[in-house]
CSV table of all heavy atoms in Angstrom, one decimal:
chain,number,residue,atom,x,y,z
N,204,GLY,N,26.9,3.4,-23.8
N,204,GLY,CA,25.7,2.5,-23.4
N,204,GLY,C,26.2,1.4,-22.5
N,204,GLY,O,25.4,0.8,-21.8
N,205,GLU,N,27.4,0.9,-22.7
N,205,GLU,CA,27.9,-0.3,-21.9
N,205,GLU,C,28.3,0.2,-20.5
N,205,GLU,O,28.1,-0.6,-19.6
N,205,GLU,CB,29.1,-0.9,-22.6
N,205,GLU,CG,28.9,-1.5,-23.9
N,205,GLU,CD,30.1,-2.1,-24.5
N,205,GLU,OE1,31.1,-1.3,-24.7
N,205,GLU,OE2,30.2,-3.3,-24.8
N,206,THR,N,28.8,1.4,-20.4
N,206,THR,CA,29.2,1.8,-19.0
N,206,THR,C,28.2,2.6,-18.2
N,206,THR,O,28.4,2.8,-17.0
N,206,THR,CB,30.5,2.7,-19.1
N,206,THR,OG1,30.2,3.9,-19.8
N,206,THR,CG2,31.6,2.0,-19.8
N,207,ALA,N,27.1,2.9,-18.8
N,207,ALA,CA,26.1,3.8,-18.2
N,207,ALA,C,25.7,3.2,-16.8
N,207,ALA,O,25.5,3.9,-15.8
N,207,ALA,CB,24.9,4.0,-19.1
N,208,ASN,N,25.4,1.9,-16.7
N,208,ASN,CA,24.8,1.3,-15.5
N,208,ASN,C,25.8,1.3,-14.4
N,208,ASN,O,25.4,1.2,-13.2
N,208,ASN,CB,24.3,-0.1,-15.8
N,208,ASN,CG,23.3,-0.5,-14.7
N,208,ASN,OD1,22.4,0.2,-14.4
N,208,ASN,ND2,23.5,-1.7,-14.1
N,209,VAL,N,27.1,1.5,-14.7
N,209,VAL,CA,28.2,1.4,-13.6
N,209,VAL,C,28.3,2.9,-13.0
N,209,VAL,O,28.9,2.9,-12.0
N,209,VAL,CB,29.4,1.0,-14.3
N,209,VAL,CG1,30.5,0.7,-13.2
N,209,VAL,CG2,29.3,-0.3,-15.1
N,210,GLN,N,27.8,3.9,-13.6
N,210,GLN,CA,28.1,5.3,-13.2
N,210,GLN,C,26.9,6.1,-12.9
N,210,GLN,O,25.9,5.9,-13.5
N,210,GLN,CB,28.9,6.0,-14.3
N,210,GLN,CG,30.2,5.2,-14.7
N,210,GLN,CD,30.9,6.0,-15.9
N,210,GLN,OE1,31.7,7.0,-15.6
N,210,GLN,NE2,30.7,5.5,-17.1
N,211,ILE,N,27.1,7.0,-11.9
N,211,ILE,CA,26.1,8.0,-11.6
N,211,ILE,C,26.9,9.4,-11.5
N,211,ILE,O,28.0,9.4,-10.8
N,211,ILE,CB,25.3,7.8,-10.3
N,211,ILE,CG1,24.3,6.7,-10.5
N,211,ILE,CG2,24.7,9.1,-9.8
N,211,ILE,CD1,23.5,6.6,-9.2
N,212,PHE,N,26.4,10.4,-12.2
N,212,PHE,CA,27.1,11.7,-12.1
N,212,PHE,C,26.2,12.6,-11.3
N,212,PHE,O,24.9,12.4,-11.1
N,212,PHE,CB,27.2,12.2,-13.6
N,212,PHE,CG,28.1,11.5,-14.5
N,212,PHE,CD1,27.5,10.3,-15.2
N,212,PHE,CD2,29.4,11.8,-14.7
N,212,PHE,CE1,28.3,9.6,-16.0
N,212,PHE,CE2,30.1,11.0,-15.5
N,212,PHE,CZ,29.6,9.9,-16.2
N,213,VAL,N,27.0,13.5,-10.6
N,213,VAL,CA,26.3,14.3,-9.5
N,213,VAL,C,26.6,15.8,-9.8
N,213,VAL,O,27.8,16.2,-9.8
N,213,VAL,CB,26.7,13.9,-8.2
N,213,VAL,CG1,26.0,14.6,-7.1
N,213,VAL,CG2,26.7,12.4,-7.9
N,214,VAL,N,25.5,16.5,-10.0
N,214,VAL,CA,25.6,18.0,-10.0
N,214,VAL,C,25.3,18.6,-8.6
N,214,VAL,O,24.7,17.9,-7.8
N,214,VAL,CB,24.8,18.6,-11.1
N,214,VAL,CG1,25.1,18.1,-12.5
N,214,VAL,CG2,23.2,18.4,-10.8
N,215,ALA,N,25.6,19.9,-8.5
N,215,ALA,CA,25.4,20.5,-7.1
N,215,ALA,C,24.3,21.6,-7.2
N,215,ALA,O,24.2,22.3,-8.1
N,215,ALA,CB,26.7,21.1,-6.7
N,216,ILE,N,23.5,21.6,-6.1
N,216,ILE,CA,22.6,22.7,-5.9
N,216,ILE,C,23.0,23.5,-4.7
N,216,ILE,O,23.7,22.9,-3.8
N,216,ILE,CB,21.1,22.1,-5.7
N,216,ILE,CG1,21.0,21.3,-4.4
N,216,ILE,CG2,20.6,21.4,-6.9
N,216,ILE,CD1,19.5,21.1,-4.1
N,217,ASP,N,22.6,24.7,-4.5
N,217,ASP,CA,22.8,25.5,-3.4
N,217,ASP,C,22.1,25.0,-2.2
N,217,ASP,O,21.0,24.5,-2.3
N,217,ASP,CB,22.4,27.0,-3.7
N,217,ASP,CG,23.3,27.6,-4.8
N,217,ASP,OD1,24.4,27.1,-5.0
N,217,ASP,OD2,22.7,28.6,-5.4
N,218,ALA,N,22.7,25.3,-1.0
N,218,ALA,CA,22.1,24.8,0.3
N,218,ALA,C,21.1,25.9,0.7
N,218,ALA,O,21.4,26.7,1.5
N,218,ALA,CB,23.2,24.7,1.3
N,219,ASP,N,20.0,25.9,0.0
N,219,ASP,CA,19.0,26.9,0.2
N,219,ASP,C,17.6,26.2,0.5
N,219,ASP,O,17.1,25.5,-0.3
N,219,ASP,CB,18.9,27.8,-1.1
N,219,ASP,CG,17.9,29.0,-0.9
N,219,ASP,OD1,17.1,29.0,0.0
N,219,ASP,OD2,18.1,30.0,-1.6
N,220,GLU,N,17.1,26.5,1.7
N,220,GLU,CA,15.9,25.9,2.1
N,220,GLU,C,14.6,26.4,1.4
N,220,GLU,O,13.6,25.8,1.4
N,220,GLU,CB,15.7,26.1,3.7
N,220,GLU,CG,16.7,25.3,4.4
N,220,GLU,CD,16.4,25.6,5.9
N,220,GLU,OE1,16.8,26.7,6.4
N,220,GLU,OE2,15.8,24.7,6.6
N,221,ARG,N,14.7,27.6,0.8
N,221,ARG,CA,13.6,28.2,0.1
N,221,ARG,C,13.4,27.7,-1.4
N,221,ARG,O,12.2,27.7,-1.8
N,221,ARG,CB,13.8,29.7,0.1
N,221,ARG,CG,13.9,30.4,1.5
N,221,ARG,CD,14.5,31.7,1.4
N,221,ARG,NE,15.8,31.7,0.9
N,221,ARG,CZ,16.5,32.8,0.6
N,221,ARG,NH1,16.0,34.0,0.9
N,221,ARG,NH2,17.8,32.7,0.1
N,222,LYS,N,14.4,27.3,-2.0
N,222,LYS,CA,14.2,26.9,-3.5
N,222,LYS,C,15.4,26.0,-3.9
N,222,LYS,O,16.4,26.0,-3.2
N,222,LYS,CB,14.1,28.2,-4.3
N,222,LYS,CG,15.4,29.1,-4.3
N,222,LYS,CD,15.2,30.3,-5.2
N,222,LYS,CE,16.5,31.2,-4.9
N,222,LYS,NZ,16.2,32.4,-5.8
N,223,TYR,N,15.2,25.3,-5.0
N,223,TYR,CA,16.2,24.5,-5.5
N,223,TYR,C,16.8,25.3,-6.7
N,223,TYR,O,16.2,25.6,-7.6
N,223,TYR,CB,15.6,23.2,-6.0
N,223,TYR,CG,14.9,22.4,-5.1
N,223,TYR,CD1,13.5,22.1,-5.3
N,223,TYR,CD2,15.5,21.9,-3.9
N,223,TYR,CE1,12.9,21.3,-4.3
N,223,TYR,CE2,14.8,21.2,-2.9
N,223,TYR,CZ,13.5,20.9,-3.2
N,223,TYR,OH,12.8,20.1,-2.2
N,224,THR,N,18.2,25.5,-6.6
N,224,THR,CA,18.9,26.2,-7.6
N,224,THR,C,20.2,25.5,-7.9
N,224,THR,O,21.0,25.2,-6.9
N,224,THR,CB,19.2,27.7,-7.1
N,224,THR,OG1,18.0,28.3,-6.7
N,224,THR,CG2,19.9,28.5,-8.2
N,225,ILE,N,20.5,25.3,-9.2
N,225,ILE,CA,21.7,24.8,-9.5
N,225,ILE,C,22.9,25.7,-9.1
N,225,ILE,O,22.8,26.9,-9.3
N,225,ILE,CB,21.9,24.5,-11.1
N,225,ILE,CG1,23.1,23.6,-11.4
N,225,ILE,CG2,21.8,25.7,-11.9
N,225,ILE,CD1,22.9,22.2,-11.1
Side-chain angles (χ1 to χ4, degrees):
E205 293 177 304
T206 64
N208 200 51
V209 188
Q210 304 178 82
I211 286 186
F212 297 86
V213 187
V214 300
I216 67 166
D217 292 337
D219 189 334
E220 293 179 283
R221 298 164 298 176
K222 58 183 178 179
Y223 302 120
T224 306
I225 191 78

